[in-house]
Amino acid sequence: MAYSEKVVEHYNNPRNVGSLPKEDPNVGTGLVGAPECGDVMKLQMKINPDTQIIEEAKFKTFGCGSAIASSSLATEWVKGKTVQEALSIKNTDIVRELSLPPVKIHCSVLAEDAIKAAIGDWKKKHGIEAPVAEKAAH
Amino acid sequence: MTASTTTTNPPLICWNCHERARGTHFCPSCGKLQQITGSTDYFSLFEMPRKLWIEMNALEQKFLQLSWKLHPDNFVNATDTERELSLKRSSELNDAYRVLRDPVARVEYLLGLENMRKEGEHKQQAPPELLEEVFELNESLDELREAKSSGGDLGALKARLESAEKNFGEKLGEVDAQLQATARDWDAAVDATSDEAARKKVMGRLNELLNRRSYIRNLAVNVAKELGEA
């Protein structure tokens, strides 16, 4: 099975690789994993507390090409969005954009989880009640 | 999914003599090789309870005995149906043996049977501490790779990789020991005919251990790969 062009493109030129200071009160960190394939994904966002706009996003993923592409795309998409908008990104959007085959859908689920986890962490730092954990759709 | 009732619920009567067949492998009435039914799992194929401690010699003996009985060579002059059944059943027997004799595959299989192992699209949650640990280990492996490609001190690098390999090997050993101990808990729960909740708890623990094992094994494989190229 071959990777789609978009996956290969993100894999070769991943956007926003790196990390942000974890202790920064405006940085939210999401660390998620898929045990069945051994992937781990860390997604971080710097969020402006006044505007709730995501000003910066970084990721580091240890995993397959699809996991790397999914998280790379996720950082691209959340940048410049508000927290609310970012929370509305669904894994199915990522599947569509990257043309992920069914066996790689869990990579997109991981990316959606990472976005939610990072925002959840930021909210916790700001004493905002985290919404009831929403299960990612498949 | 659409499946006809005939494929999901094979009749419990013998396909040949139409007597109610009770034997797992052969019809007690006409002696013909029986079809695999939906309720047959690897444990019942070997006429064993769904327990995790298996006596290897007994398993092997049973396997040899059954392979002998089900072997296609015994059906050279039989009908097409029987020849086909013998092929199918022999290959199933081989699969079953391969899974049951491997302690980790056995746990995985049992969890699947009990609907406790979720894979693929279904989400698995890993505990945060484990993720932190795995992430850090991956990062140090990354550093090693970078040092290697930038032509660092290869001797020192090799030493670090070897120590990482030893470390992961030890961790794998720890997980396997925990897996074994928890497998005994499962068997005890089966023996005590514990309630659903108690059994689920043991299954959950087994599942967590399998997850941890799969992360560590991945890391170990990656280190071994780097070492092979060092």
Side-chain angles (χ1 to χ4, degrees), chain B residues 44-106:
Chain B
S44 60
L45 211 62
F46 280 90
E47 291 162 325
M48 287 173 164
R50 279 191 193 179
K51 282 162 71 171
L52 290 171
W53 191 84
I54 291 179
E55 218 270 291
M56 278 301 150
N57 274 332
L59 182 75
E60 199 192 349
Q61 286 307 313
K62 187 87 191 162
F63 171 68
L64 293 175
Q65 204 183 51
L66 284 172
S67 322
W68 178 253
K69 283 189 189 164
L70 303 175
H71 201 279
D73 281 0
N74 300 332
F75 300 88
V76 179
N77 297 317
T79 60
D80 286 352
T81 316
E82 284 172 280
R83 281 214 305 273
E84 200 186 307
L85 267 178
S86 142
L87 266 177
K88 259 199 205 153
R89 304 240 12 196
S90 294
S91 95
E92 189 201 35
L93 183 72
N94 288 331
D95 291 343
Y97 182 55
R98 204 175 307 124
V99 166
L100 290 185
R101 78 176 168 187
D102 174 348
V104 176
R106 194 188 306 152

Side-chain angles (χ1 to χ4, degrees), chain A residues 19 22 31-42 59-62 102-103 105-106 109-110 113 134-136 138, chain B residues 117-126 128 130-136 138-139 142 145-146 210-212 214-215 218:
Chain A
S19 62
K22 215 180 151 186
L31 181 60
V32 294
E36 59 269 32
C37 51
D39 288 359
V40 264
M41 186 183 282
K42 183 156 96 177
F59 86 94
K60 188 149 192 194
T61 294
F62 297 102
V103 291
I105 286 176
H106 66 270
V109 175
L110 215 52
D113 285 350
E134 209 183 304
K135 290 273 173 229
H138 299 166
Chain B
R117 183 89 181 137
K118 301 167 190 89
E119 275 184 289
E121 287 181 39
H122 300 282
K123 261 214 294 206
Q124 287 265 23
Q125 289 300 351
L130 174 62
L131 287 177
E132 294 273 0
E133 194 188 348
V134 171
F135 196 86
E136 269 167 34
N138 266 307
E139 266 186 331
D142 235 20
R145 281 196 195 102
E146 264 159 41
L210 282 184
N211 286 346
R212 185 175 168 76
S214 112
Y215 275 125
N218 254 10

Side-chain angles (χ1 to χ4, degrees), chain A residues 39-54:
Chain A
D39 288 359
V40 264
M41 186 183 282
K42 183 156 96 177
L43 205 143
Q44 293 183 300
M45 307 173 184
K46 193 179 174 118
I47 302 168
N48 184 321
D50 301 320
T51 57
Q52 299 232 335
I53 283 175
I54 298 162

Side-chain angles (χ1 to χ4, degrees), chain A residues 34-109:
Chain A
E36 59 269 32
C37 51
D39 288 359
V40 264
M41 186 183 282
K42 183 156 96 177
L43 205 143
Q44 293 183 300
M45 307 173 184
K46 193 179 174 118
I47 302 168
N48 184 321
D50 301 320
T51 57
Q52 299 232 335
I53 283 175
I54 298 162
E55 294 176 336
E56 234 186 300
K58 295 273 182 205
F59 86 94
K60 188 149 192 194
T61 294
F62 297 102
C64 67
S66 302
I68 290 168
S70 295
S71 36
S72 168
L73 179 68
T75 56
E76 232 182 7
W77 275 357
V78 298
K79 262 211 232 174
K81 281 201 167 74
T82 65
V83 166
Q84 208 49 45
E85 286 166 340
L87 282 174
S88 70
I89 295 172
K90 290 269 167 271
N91 82 294
T92 43
D93 304 330
I94 297 170
V95 171
R96 214 169 305 125
E97 175 70 17
L98 297 175
S99 319
L100 295 180
V103 291
K104 291 293 180 186
I105 286 176
H106 66 270
C107 299
S108 68
V109 175

Side-chain angles (χ1 to χ4, degrees), chain A residues 105-135:
Chain A
I105 286 176
H106 66 270
C107 299
S108 68
V109 175
L110 215 52
E112 184 188 328
D113 285 350
I115 296 175
K116 296 213 156 86
I119 291 175
D121 180 54
W122 176 80
K123 281 187 171 170
K124 216 165 96 188
K125 282 183 178 172
H126 286 259
I128 305 168
E129 200 55 50
V132 184
E134 209 183 304
K135 290 273 173 229

Side-chain angles (χ1 to χ4, degrees), chain B residues 11 55 178 229:
Chain B
E55 218 270 291
Q178 286 169 314
E229 292 163 5

